[in-house]
Amino acid sequence: MSSYRESEGHVLMPGLAIGSLALVLAAGFGSVGIMDRANDGIAGIIQVGGGVAKSLPVWAVWASAAVGAFSLSFLILSVPGTWRRVVLWISALVLVAGWGPVLVLAGRFPVVAVPLLATFWAGLCALVYASRHRMAADK
């Protein structure tokens, strides 16, 4: 009887699939308005003044989400050890979440919900995939 852990894990195709699905999830949540409400909630928490701030261009938000989702999934699948993978995931989430206050200080509206969701989902899926396959980095 063979175990699921005996199957060989890969990096390129699963990384592309995980990153793409994380972006599709964020787009789906965005299409029903959940991301706008999340951004408004984040802005309510971290904005001090009541002034209207400029927003980032939409392409910049999605580009940062794509960079976060794809790079994190490739990194997690390429690094040996579960502990290191979890540290990478948490570090990426803290880094993305930390951009909210930075955007507010720069006079921008903190639109971090899409990159945060994409990074969270890509990291979670990559961790699950790496835990269920024998990755080359673990040898």
Side-chain angles (χ1 to χ4, degrees):
M1 180 166 185
S2 67
S3 170
Y4 63 84
R5 186 77 168 135
E6 292 178 7
S7 61
E8 187 70 29
H10 302 282
V11 175
L12 182 61
M13 290 309 292
L16 288 173
I18 289 169
S20 298
L21 290 176
L23 291 175
V24 167
L25 177 72
F29 277 18
S31 69
V32 295
I34 294 174
M35 294 291 108
D36 293 333
R37 285 185 294 209
N39 283 327
D40 291 339
I42 292 168
I45 292 170
I46 61 177
Q47 280 188 329
V48 178
V52 176
K54 295 185 289 185
S55 187
L56 290 174
V58 175
W59 66 265
V61 174
W62 285 100
S64 64
V67 167
F70 287 112
S71 62
L72 183 61
S73 61
F74 288 132
L75 278 172
I76 286 176
L77 295 176
S78 300
V79 170
T82 304
W83 176 246
R84 289 179 182 161
R85 292 176 180 129
V86 171
V87 168
L88 270 174
W89 184 41
I90 293 171
S91 299
L93 288 173
V94 168
L95 183 67
V96 171
W99 272 100
V102 171
L103 288 171
V104 169
L105 287 173
R108 301 284 184 166
F109 189 76
V111 285
V112 295
V114 168
L116 193 58
L117 177 64
T119 303
F120 172 80
W121 193 252
L124 180 66
C125 291
L127 283 171
V128 169
Y129 180 86
S131 71
R132 301 200 176 263
H133 293 83
R134 193 170 21 95
M135 301 304 292
D138 288 333
K139 293 179 185 175

